[in-house]
Amino acid sequence: MASELPADSKNLAAAQTRFLEGWAFHQKGDLARARESYSAAISLSPRHFDALHLSGLIAFQSEQISQAIDLLEAAVAVDGQNPFARYNLGIALERGGQYQAAMASLTAAIDLKVDYVDAYVQRGTLQRTAGLHQAAVASYDAVLRLNPNFANIYVDRGISLWALGQVEAALESYDRAIRLKPDLAEAYINRGLALRALRRLPEALASLDQAIRVKPDHAGAHNNRGSILSDLGDRTGALASFDKAIEIQPSYAFAHNNRGAALMELKQPAAALESFDKALQLNPNQADAHFNRGNALKDFRQYESAIASFDRALQLKPDLPFLHGTRLHMKMQICDWGSFETDSADLAARIERDEPVTQPFAPLALYGSPFLQRKAAEIFAHPKNSKNDELGPIQKHAERKKIRIGYFSGDFRDHPVAVLLAGLIEAHDREKFEIYAFSFGPDTRDALRTRLQNAVDKFIDVRSASDREIAELARRLELDIAVDLAGYTSEARMRIFAMRMAPVQISFLGYPGTMALETMDYLVGDNVLVPAELRAGYSEKIIYLPSYQPNDSARKVADKTPSRRELGLPAQGFVFCSFNNAYKILPATFDVWMRILKQAQGAVLWLAGTNPIAIRNLRAEAARRGVDPDRLIFAPRVESAEDHLARQRAADLFLDTWPYNAHTTASDALWVGLPVLTKPTEAFAGRVAASVLTALDLPELIAPTAEAYEALAVELAHDPKRLARIREKLARNRLTSPLFDTALYARNIEDAFVQAHERARTGLAPDHIHVK
């Protein structure tokens, strides 16, 4: 008779029997019975490694992650030298959100088995997810040393290289993936995004097209294709791609957001708002969608709701590009100055640190420094609008009798730019110049648009054309000079200038500052706007005209001047006015205005009243400064430009804003005989009123400091004879000065165009041009 086994040996044997029973069930796919048998084995022998390990795997497969971790940790405690247990524990820990412990476990598995490909792969993925991209690249490189034909790893490796800023290396990695696996859609998608980052947009588009050929139902490929088409300025094509992505994946929040952005570009803000709302319904934490929604609400003048959207975006993603400046500019639109000093100082500091925090327009109204404005423009322009060589160099053409000039704008309509420009276009010498207008703004069919259409040799509506198509058309037409009238305003199409449409490219009138673009050769100005000591604030060479601003000497003013009573003004008392946009009124300017009112008893301040929220806030700010809010009177919008000009005759003195002066608004006032008091800053936008006053020989209305501005305003309010002498001088000079001599202005700027053209034709680089 055999001797009896010791108790622990009996348990071990029984445990092994139950384990083998479980293993048989496991192989058949009966996981429930397998786990039951493994559990029995563990009860008999708590340190049974294989039962613990395989029970842990079944728990993991059953999504019982916490239990899986406990079982796998117990298995590792039994045999810490088993690389597979270490690996599986790492996977379970990762799923359980214990990323540091997971990485440690995967590293331990690799230390035990240096050729453990799966462990390297999983560790690399975990490192990449955690933002440890340098370590992830090292893990992926180890995989590729063991298996050089692992195409998907080249894709993951490329993603980490890109995150490290090594975009060219990432592109090479994607190319390797494609050579190994030509049907790998993800490789083509990421390759396209890398090419997009390198601004090789046609190649990027081709890569996305190939991804779609490989996998037509890949929503991400269609979405990214739309983003590239948007970069190319093909807004209609971009919208179609986003629509296709949503058709494939209706819950694709990012595609809904991108669709909204495309609709905004197509000037369909209502439809865009619906898309942004849908994106946020699907993903309420999508900062980009909140930001874009705010921009759409701005178009409906729902300023407070727009600010609320910007605030939410700021909570979610404080470093979202261009959010800080857009939010602050929106608050300025309604004169919400609650945190103005802090916000404006913070924005300036961020610009100085080269952070992409604002589009270039907002700083024009915030800071008087052309150098800070240039820095903001440089940050914005690179790389989105930087030099684009995809069309190659411009081919020389035979010299012609006429110089071909193309004016590019989204504002060929009832708009301040068109108001200033119309007379100049009509006055161009058609024996020497051939004039083209390229319109990428709405067809408003108003009288001013019709006038401009009739004034040019060829009016071309390019709203639906892509940036490349516009640039190619301009080149086919062999323009000699391309003139940008938009700059960084809402209708800007700067990428067409980055491709270079003509041998000479000039920034003029629409944007009072530097474009900071390598391909923008000249900026039109004068000696007041850009004195020699401030040229470093501008990337362009300056065209110095005798007087910067064009004006239409044929502008009509209504015959009847409304009475003060009809305008809501007091019958007696001095009327200061300022019809500048609300965003130009800064707290420091308003402080001066309120001190002026305190010293000019009975005087009122007449302001533009198109923004009810700004009206409410400005009245409240007046009360805070001890001024009766009723002394602020707001003029409603009138449809007729002639009536708007005529009513300004009821005012006594126009008070300018700074650091962003009145521009068209200043010449409007002066045209009807209303004196304008200004205080220049250093930057272009803050010197325009001084420029027009200099052209009128009225330097006495240019105050060097805020204190001098305040003192002069009060003196003129108390000295009607002195003010009358200024008015008489203005009336005389208005008819004889260069400011309102449209024909003279045309000859001067044509002189500049000829000089710029001649320099380019003879191979000379752009240089400052002085027109005598």
Side-chain angles (χ1 to χ4, degrees), residues 294-450:
N295 282 316
L297 289 166
K298 175 186 67 176
D299 279 11
F300 294 103
R301 299 183 181 274
Q302 297 181 27
Y303 297 121
E304 291 176 311
S305 296
I307 292 167
S309 285
F310 294 145
D311 286 343
R312 181 60 181 144
L314 195 64
Q315 292 172 350
L316 292 167
K317 193 173 182 181
D319 61 347
L320 186 67
F322 313 119
L323 170 58
H324 286 267
T326 304
R327 175 180 174 272
L328 180 53
H329 188 68
M330 189 66 62
K331 293 180 76 174
M332 291 166 65
Q333 293 276 10
I334 59 171
C335 300
D336 177 355
W337 301 333
S339 58
F340 177 81
E341 298 300 333
T342 302
D343 289 345
S344 60
D346 176 66
L347 190 71
R350 289 173 181 272
I351 295 168
E352 292 287 9
R353 294 196 298 266
D354 293 319
E355 295 180 25
V357 288
T358 183
Q359 296 188 8
F361 189 82
L364 300 184
L366 286 166
Y367 314 113
S369 165
F371 308 105
L372 188 64
Q373 291 176 8
R374 175 173 180 171
K375 195 171 184 65
E378 287 172 341
I379 296 167
F380 182 78
H382 179 79
K384 188 176 182 180
N385 295 316
S386 58
K387 185 178 180 182
N388 184 332
D389 292 322
E390 65 185 72
L391 297 183
I394 290 182
Q395 300 301 312
K396 287 189 176 183
H397 54 76
E399 191 68 12
R400 293 182 297 261
K401 178 183 176 183
K402 296 182 181 181
I403 296 174
R404 289 184 182 171
I405 300 174
Y407 286 100
F408 293 77
S409 180
D411 297 319
F412 291 128
R413 56 191 172 92
D414 186 6
H415 183 276
V417 168
V419 168
L420 295 175
L421 188 74
L424 167 61
I425 297 295
E426 291 170 337
H428 270 311
D429 185 345
R430 297 313 166 83
E431 295 297 317
K432 298 178 180 177
F433 299 93
E434 196 172 328
I435 307 299
Y436 294 76
F438 293 77
S439 174
F440 38 81
D443 182 3
T444 54
R445 302 186 182 183
D446 57 49
L448 197 50
R449 183 178 178 89
T450 301

Side-chain angles (χ1 to χ4, degrees), residues 647-715:
R647 67 178 172 175
Q648 294 187 56
R649 293 172 174 150
D652 295 299
L653 181 66
F654 187 107
L655 295 178
D656 198 11
T657 51
W658 69 87
Y660 199 143
N661 289 170
H663 292 188
T664 307
T665 314
S667 51
D668 281 354
L670 295 165
W671 180 240
V672 297
L674 175 61
V676 174
L677 172 60
T678 192
K679 187 198 85 67
T681 61
E682 288 189 329
F684 194 119
R687 302 178 73 84
V688 171
S691 168
V692 298
L693 287 167
T694 300
L696 282 167
D697 190 25
L698 286 169
E700 56 267 42
L701 290 172
I702 304 171
T705 65
E707 293 76 16
Y709 174 103
E710 178 182 335
L712 182 54
V714 173
E715 287 172 18

Side-chain angles (χ1 to χ4, degrees), residues 107-188:
T107 299
I110 291 167
D111 290 341
L112 293 165
K113 181 176 169 57
V114 294
D115 61 347
Y116 202 162
V117 170
D118 287 349
Y120 282 114
V121 170
Q122 292 299 328
R123 187 177 71 171
T125 301
L126 188 57
Q127 288 164 332
R128 177 166 57 83
T129 304
L132 304 172
H133 294 289
Q134 196 67 58
V137 171
S139 291
Y140 294 140
D141 285 344
V143 173
L144 294 169
R145 283 193 295 271
L146 296 165
N147 181 1
N149 297 321
F150 203 150
N152 292 72
I153 291 301
Y154 278 108
V155 175
D156 293 340
R157 179 177 178 272
I159 293 169
S160 280
L161 286 167
W162 188 1
L164 290 167
Q166 302 175 36
V167 184
E168 293 279 6
L171 183 60
E172 182 183 346
S173 203
Y174 300 139
D175 285 338
R176 290 286 297 274
I178 289 166
R179 285 197 293 273
L180 290 167
K181 194 173 182 182
D183 63 346
L184 187 56
E186 286 72 16
Y188 288 108

Side-chain angles (χ1 to χ4, degrees), residues 8 27 54 79 127 234 238 263 284 440 488 492 494 547 677 687 724:
D8 58 346
Q27 288 180 305
L54 293 178
D79 183 1
Q127 288 164 332
D234 184 354
L263 288 164
F440 38 81
Y488 293 123
M494 290 316 302
S547 172
L677 172 60
R687 302 178 73 84

Side-chain angles (χ1 to χ4, degrees), residues 28-159:
K28 293 176 182 178
D30 190 345
L31 299 184
R33 296 179 70 182
R35 188 170 181 183
E36 182 182 334
S37 295
Y38 292 151
S39 295
I42 293 167
S43 296
L44 291 165
S45 178
R47 289 176 59 79
H48 195 295
F49 171 79
D50 290 327
L52 289 166
H53 188 195
L54 293 178
S55 287
L57 291 181
I58 291 174
F60 181 83
Q61 289 173 290
S62 304
E63 296 294 330
Q64 297 173 339
I65 305 303
S66 179
Q67 192 172 8
I69 291 171
D70 291 342
L71 288 163
L72 290 167
E73 283 180 336
V76 167
V78 173
D79 183 1
Q81 300 302 304
N82 187 295
F84 305 107
R86 292 279 190 183
Y87 170 80
N88 289 324
L89 175 59
I91 299 298
L93 288 165
E94 179 185 352
R95 182 70 67 83
Q98 300 181 45
Y99 300 117
Q100 291 296 330
M103 263 191 278
S105 194
L106 292 168
T107 299
I110 291 167
D111 290 341
L112 293 165
K113 181 176 169 57
V114 294
D115 61 347
Y116 202 162
V117 170
D118 287 349
Y120 282 114
V121 170
Q122 292 299 328
R123 187 177 71 171
T125 301
L126 188 57
Q127 288 164 332
R128 177 166 57 83
T129 304
L132 304 172
H133 294 289
Q134 196 67 58
V137 171
S139 291
Y140 294 140
D141 285 344
V143 173
L144 294 169
R145 283 193 295 271
L146 296 165
N147 181 1
N149 297 321
F150 203 150
N152 292 72
I153 291 301
Y154 278 108
V155 175
D156 293 340
R157 179 177 178 272
I159 293 169

